[in-house]
Amino acid sequence: MKEISASACAKSILFGEHAVVYGEPAIAVPLAGLRTYAAYTPGIVGIFSDVLPGKDLSNEPAVGELLRLFSETIGISEPLTGTLRIRSDIPMAAGLGSGAALSCAILRCLASLHNLRMSPEELNRLVYACEKIYHGNPSGVDNTVICYEQPLFFIRGEQQHLLDFDLGDLPLLVIDSGIRSRTVDVVSDVRAHYDTLSPVIREIGELVRSAEAVLRSGDPALIGQLMNKNQDLLRALTVSCRELDELTALALREGAYGAKLTGAGRGGNFIVMAKDTDHAAYLRDIYRKKGLRVIL
Ligand code: PMV
């Protein structure tokens, strides 16, 4: 029997996290080399992951809802008749969209099991419904970039537009601080202080609107400058932390053009714009020697 399997990528927000929850734009990119995999085999009915041995994920509220929505969408009562085995290279609670990637990989695998092709729009609708269970009030940027697997200029509730730049052309690093933090907690803290933080949120929006043209220029120095400004604003939003401040400052001391956190913050991953590919290799080495996982 042919193996039925599917996968979904991680993502990184280059500009605009948090502000995107309040209707400002964000720019996000897929990380195609970092993925969650789902493979189907006949056997016990359930969804099992390497990370949580023995636990059937189909009993989790978000995954249960995903199965229900899938059944409803395609009009069947039993979406899963065997085992879905999940393997993921994406660190959890680390700002890289691991939850949306899990949902997307599961749906793609189920669609393949039922000989269906789901469009990115359909996938996105279902994954977003599931994100709402994980995060409460997600902007939708994570699920959208992951389901389309394309760089994106995203505004909540509006038709997103795909960006045609290639991340591979930039000397960009993605590094895991190793600190875990829950998106839902950081997002609700920002909401609790919305009245005082709203000017910062609007300023992030302005910055992201100028970032699209800067990204198109492909100039690492200019992109890096904007990353630094965005990081300053994220610090003002109180979503950075001492370790992220130190790790991004280290990049700048070592000559990087820019560095900022990516995702919800207070831990998770940060991104660094090096001067060129040799400089990127030099910086990667520095962080690896500190025991950090270099994602890109
Ligand atoms: O940390 P992640 O990968 O869940 O990204 C969260 C991005 C936020 O802008 C902070 C929240 C959102 O819903 O867009």
Side-chain angles (χ1 to χ4, degrees):
M1 194 187 125
K2 123 174 146 40
E3 198 200 40
I4 297 168
S5 61
S7 70
C9 67
K11 62 89 215 195
S12 167
I13 298 179
L14 298 186
F15 298 105
E17 46 275 273
H18 287 285
V20 69
V21 173
Y22 303 93
E24 299 295 343
I27 294 178
V29 291
L31 300 176
L34 186 71
R35 306 188 77 84
T36 293
Y37 301 86
Y40 172 81
T41 46
I44 305 166
V45 178
I47 303 181
F48 300 95
S49 160
D50 287 1
V51 198
L52 300 160
K55 188 166 182 168
D56 182 356
L57 298 183
S58 64
N59 295 326
E60 297 291 301
V63 179
E65 175 66 0
L66 195 68
L67 294 176
R68 196 192 64 70
L69 286 170
F70 179 79
S71 311
E72 190 181 276
T73 307
I74 69 163
I76 48 153
S77 54
E78 287 301 328
L80 187 59
T81 51
T83 306
L84 274 197
R85 194 147 299 281
I86 309 294
R87 184 172 68 73
S88 185
D89 294 333
I90 309 176
M92 289 197 288
L96 298 181
S98 63
L102 171 69
S103 303
C104 185
I106 290 175
L107 282 179
R108 283 184 176 148
C109 194
L110 290 177
S112 165
L113 180 65
H114 292 276
N115 286 316
L116 293 169
R117 243 196 63 80
M118 285 179 84
S119 67
E121 288 84 350
E122 280 175 305
L123 273 174
N124 197 25
R125 186 176 64 79
L126 270 53
V127 176
Y128 183 54
C130 200
E131 285 288 282
K132 284 191 195 156
I133 298 175
Y134 284 124
H135 296 319
N137 180 30
S139 66
V141 63
D142 282 19
N143 45 283
T144 309
V145 70
I146 285 169
C147 291
Y148 283 81
E149 207 162 329
Q150 292 260 7
L152 214 68
F153 184 92
F154 177 90
I155 300 180
R156 184 172 194 165
E158 288 185 15
Q159 181 72 31
Q160 73 285 352
H161 76 255
L162 305 177
L163 297 176
D164 61 358
F165 77 92
D166 188 354
L167 192 62
D169 296 341
L170 290 171
L172 188 79
L173 285 72
V174 180
I175 300 162
D176 193 344
S177 70
I179 301 164
R180 296 294 169 253
S181 93
R182 286 177 0 126
T183 301
V184 63
D185 297 337
V186 192
V187 170
S188 43
D189 263 9
V190 173
R191 178 163 302 279
H193 299 99
Y194 178 78
D195 290 346
T196 40
L197 295 177
S198 69
V200 184
I201 289 172
R202 300 304 150 221
E203 229 185 297
I204 294 177
E206 283 307 306
L207 180 142
V208 181
R209 274 181 271 277
S210 69
E212 187 180 350
V214 175
L215 276 173
R216 263 186 229 291
S217 77
D219 182 337
L222 294 178
I223 301 168
Q225 266 173 28
L226 273 190
M227 285 165 58
N228 292 335
K229 279 192 196 150
N230 198 162
Q231 174 63 15
D232 287 345
L233 292 167
L234 288 164
R235 218 177 285 123
L237 266 195
T238 75
V239 300
S240 191
C241 60
R242 185 178 48 79
E243 292 85 347
L244 282 173
D245 289 346
E246 285 171 9
L247 290 165
T248 50
L250 171 64
L252 301 187
R253 276 203 307 280
E254 293 293 342
Y257 285 136
K260 68 178 275 291
L261 66 86
T262 183
R266 300 226 180 120
N269 277 258
F270 60 101
I271 56 178
V272 174
M273 185 61 74
K275 288 182 174 157
D276 52 36
T277 45
D278 286 347
H279 186 228
Y282 166 77
L283 291 172
R284 280 190 188 98
D285 210 38
I286 290 180
Y287 287 110
R288 279 198 188 106
K289 284 191 179 128
K290 287 178 80 66
L292 299 189
R293 178 177 174 198
V294 174
I295 303 274
L296 186 75

